[in-house]
Amino acid sequence: MFCYQCEQTAKGTGCDKMGVCGKQPDVSDLQDLVVYALTGLGQAAVAAKAEGKAVPLDTGRFFAKALFSTLTNVNFDPADFKPLIEETVARREALAKVLAASLPEGPATFRPALDLAGLTRQGAEHGLKNIPETNPDILSLKHTLIFGLKGVAAYADHAAILGQEDPAVYEFLYQGLADTFTTDKDLGAWVALVLKCGEVNLRTMELLDAANTGAYGHPVPTEVPLGAKAGKAILVSGHDLKDLKALLEQTAGLGINIYTHGEMLPAHGYPELKKHPHFYGHYGTAWQNQHKEFAAFPGAILMTTNCIQRPADSYLGNIFTTGLVGWPGATHVKNGEFGPVIEKAKAMPGFAADTDQGTVMTGFARNAIMSVAGTVIDAVKAGKIKHFFLVAGCDGAKPGRNYYTEFVEKAPADTIVLTLACGKFRFFDKKLGDIGGIPRLLDMGQCNDAYSAIQVAVALAKAFECGVNDLPLSMILSWYEQKAVAILLTLLHLGIKNMRLGPTLPAFLTPNVLNYLVANYDIKPISTPEEDLKAILG
């Protein structure tokens, strides 16, 4: 195996014996084979478009789903990848039959082995290091594109689940993977293609935003309890709001309280979800703290989308996966069919008594913030608000992430902190007060709600008649997995400059590619909170 797609990659260079995330070598190789097979399907889809032949929309939907399954912390069960590979090849062959031209040798002619052991051996031959390229900088950009495409695929899958799709997104997924096996583009063309990935991701996040708000309403500021309520309990983690909605409906009137974990916290702000009286509160913090937090939870646990860690034996029997999530030994249930989860919750003790651990606020998406835009603008013009910080991104277990806690704590009292994604769990319960009734800490939502943050920045720039880079706004970003890569590419596509990124820079960027980002976007690694605040505020 060789994998360096996440921030915690071993020794800052790559996992080659076992993934720091818990991914075993066979799973890594099988995921590489999924990507290789999808590259062949992408080549067939690109060829079909060139010949004017239609590619079924459900092929795009499948493509996004299969690519999403290779994202960090989604599926660790080797058995799940065999049918994905086989269906990928079957869809490729169906397209090949209608093509006038033959497909090139390689991914488009790949024949899968008949058993899992054979597929694993094939995967070892078709990993990141086997992509055809002699220029290390172009190879770096090819890998960056692959990781960005994985993030786009995740958001596209979330949006499609709620009925929002754009064939152009699927076409770019096809084209992007197919292009990784071309050798006729120069460095400039590859930079443009990677930035194009950011543009397509912006469209994909727009689709997901429309899907979520169309189904569940625009988030509103909501106070969320961090304690517990006496009674039976189910904990929901991940990102999938449709799964959460289905569980809320299926548990109505059963005396079971529903709690969110991790990136599900912002779900409390959606009107169509919060109307359920048994949707109680938030339990725990970010994904990397599961072992301690899940072991103490006295109910059933449902994992949707990515974020799962290796379950400890103490709660393996209580945890359920759904959708694309998988772990060997954990019970998998179909999306929306949560009877086994509910029965497990009934059989478990639940919380013995009410506990009060305070509250946090969420629901400050773009509609909520723009509804008080006049007040915000007046406060800036009056000098009451001097600066905005978007402190956002993924959390993780690697040392150095306490930087984000300290940064928020040390941000001056005349500044506002916007946040989104699970990085906020370093400081989400800090009481920072307010400025003229505007809370100093505004939780804008999940990682995909970067779209909301972008729309707020654009609206403020319009109000102040300046560019986004001229606003008193600084982005302090943390990254962990491939959705964060896609968001970073979106920000680069939009021309956002002066971002600070940490806790470490991506291992897949060569020095030349990194120098390009520094020279053209003034992107910087984080240093210390004191030094960075001084540099930003003067």
Side-chain angles (χ1 to χ4, degrees):
M1 72 173 287
F2 176 75
C3 182
Y4 65 171
Q5 66 180 7
C6 84
E7 190 271 335
Q8 292 186 181
T9 193
K11 301 177 183 177
T13 57
C15 298
D16 56 7
K17 293 181 174 60
M18 189 181 105
V20 172
C21 64
K23 182 166 60 177
Q24 297 296 321
D26 60 339
V27 171
S28 180
D29 292 337
L30 288 165
Q31 289 181 349
D32 284 344
L33 194 61
V34 169
V35 175
Y36 184 75
L38 288 172
T39 302
L41 176 54
Q43 289 174 328
V46 170
K49 182 182 178 183
E51 293 185 8
K53 296 181 173 70
V55 178
L57 188 64
D58 71 341
T59 291
R61 200 174 300 135
F62 166 79
F63 196 98
K65 196 175 293 290
L67 190 56
F68 183 13
S69 73
T70 70
L71 196 104
T72 301
N73 288 8
V74 176
N75 197 326
F76 296 80
D77 193 338
D80 289 346
F81 296 103
K82 186 174 184 288
L84 279 179
I85 294 165
E86 291 171 344
E87 182 171 351
T88 301
V89 172
R91 287 178 179 271
R92 183 199 75 201
E93 289 301 286
L95 283 176
K97 288 179 181 178
V98 303
L99 296 176
S102 298
L103 293 169
E105 292 291 322
T109 58
F110 153 72
R111 299 290 175 187
L114 297 179
D115 60 12
L116 203 56
L119 291 171
T120 303
R121 287 191 294 272
Q122 288 179 320
E125 299 170 357
H126 296 298
L128 291 169
K129 291 185 175 181
N130 301 105
I131 292 174
E133 187 55 59
T134 57
N135 184 318
D137 297 323
I138 291 180
L139 183 61
S140 170
L141 291 170
K142 286 185 175 184
H143 289 172
T144 302
L145 178 62
I146 290 171
F147 303 149
L149 291 171
K150 290 186 179 191
V152 174
Y155 292 141
D157 180 60
H158 289 325
I161 285 170
L162 290 172
Q164 290 285 339
E165 295 178 275
D166 183 345
V169 172
Y170 298 144
E171 289 173 7
F172 184 75
L173 293 177
Y174 301 145
Q175 186 73 60
L177 277 191
D179 280 345
T180 63
F181 268 70
T182 63
T183 55
D184 58 349
K185 295 179 180 62
D186 63 15
L187 196 61
W190 270 101
V191 169
L193 190 56
V194 167
L195 292 177
K196 178 69 175 178
C197 183
E199 179 184 357
V200 173
N201 187 59
L202 180 63
R203 170 60 178 152
T204 311
M205 289 193 299
E206 180 184 25
L207 289 170
L208 181 52
D209 179 87
N212 286 338
T213 57
Y216 310 116
H218 283 274
V220 296
T222 301
E223 189 172 20
V224 183
L226 296 178
K229 192 173 185 179
K232 306 293 184 178
I234 296 175
L235 185 63
V236 185
S237 191
H239 305 76
D240 197 303
L241 301 183
K242 186 175 182 180
D243 282 336
L244 175 58
K245 175 67 171 173
L247 183 65
L248 287 168
E249 291 173 344
Q250 291 173 32
T251 51
L254 298 182
I256 300 173
N257 294 313
I258 307 300
Y259 298 79
T260 54
H261 176 268
E263 284 261 56
M264 274 295 190
L265 168 62
H268 289 275
Y270 285 92
E272 287 301 306
L273 299 177
K274 64 182 294 179
K275 71 181 184 181
H276 292 273
H278 61 301
F279 188 25
Y280 179 66
H282 186 79
Y283 174 90
T285 52
W287 63 270
Q288 76 277 1
N289 299 320
Q290 287 174 31
H291 282 176
K292 178 180 178 181
E293 294 171 353
F294 286 6
F297 188 76
I301 303 164
L302 178 65
M303 302 299 296
T304 74
T305 70
N306 61 310
C307 288
I308 194 169
Q309 270 196 313
R310 178 185 63 80
D313 291 342
S314 61
Y315 63 84
L316 180 60
N318 307 335
I319 194 167
F320 297 79
T321 61
T322 192
L324 297 177
V325 188
W327 191 281
T331 302
H332 189 81
V333 294
K334 290 184 178 180
N335 290 107
E337 298 182 8
F338 299 134
V341 184
I342 295 168
E343 291 307 309
K344 173 58 73 171
K346 290 178 177 178
M348 294 189 68
F351 288 100
D354 293 353
T355 59
D356 183 0
Q357 297 182 23
T359 63
V360 294
M361 293 292 295
T362 191
F364 294 99
R366 71 179 188 283
N367 268 29
I369 291 179
M370 296 316 299
S371 70
V372 295
T375 304
V376 172
I377 291 167
D378 289 344
V380 173
K381 289 180 176 178
K384 295 178 181 177
I385 297 177
K386 295 289 180 62
H387 208 85
F388 297 88
F389 295 106
L390 178 63
V391 187
C394 314
D395 203 358
K398 198 171 182 179
R401 290 181 180 268
N402 58 320
Y403 164 93
Y404 299 95
T405 309
E406 293 177 16
F407 188 98
V408 169
E409 290 174 337
K410 294 175 180 177
D414 55 5
T415 63
I416 297 284
V417 177
L418 309 171
T419 190
L420 51 84
C422 66
K424 64 173 162 272
F425 290 110
R426 294 279 165 170
F427 50 81
F428 79 127
D429 54 354
K430 300 294 179 184
K431 304 304 180 185
L432 302 184
D434 65 274
I435 300 176
I438 302 167
R440 286 194 56 230
L441 180 60
L442 300 173
D443 178 7
M444 301 189 73
Q446 297 180 339
C447 58
N448 51 280
D449 291 312
Y451 178 79
S452 254
I454 290 168
Q455 297 309 307
V456 167
V458 170
L460 288 176
K462 184 177 180 180
F464 285 108
E465 299 181 343
C466 66
V468 171
N469 287 319
D470 299 314
L471 288 170
L473 168 67
S474 299
M475 296 192 182
I476 316 297
L477 307 178
S478 56
W479 80 284
Y480 173 69
E481 39 90 317
Q482 297 77 65
K483 286 185 286 185
V485 174
I487 291 172
L488 179 61
L489 296 182
T490 294
L491 296 173
L492 295 176
H493 154 71
L494 292 170
I496 305 298
K497 296 186 177 182
N498 299 310
M499 294 179 283
R500 282 170 166 77
L501 181 63
T504 60
L505 297 179
F508 48 83
L509 298 181
T510 61
N512 286 337
V513 172
L514 184 57
N515 288 339
Y516 174 87
L517 294 177
V518 172
N520 289 275
Y521 297 94
D522 203 21
I523 195 167
K524 302 176 179 70
I526 59 172
S527 58
T528 68
E530 295 85 356
E531 290 172 357
D532 288 346
L533 282 166
K534 182 178 180 181
I536 293 167
L537 300 175

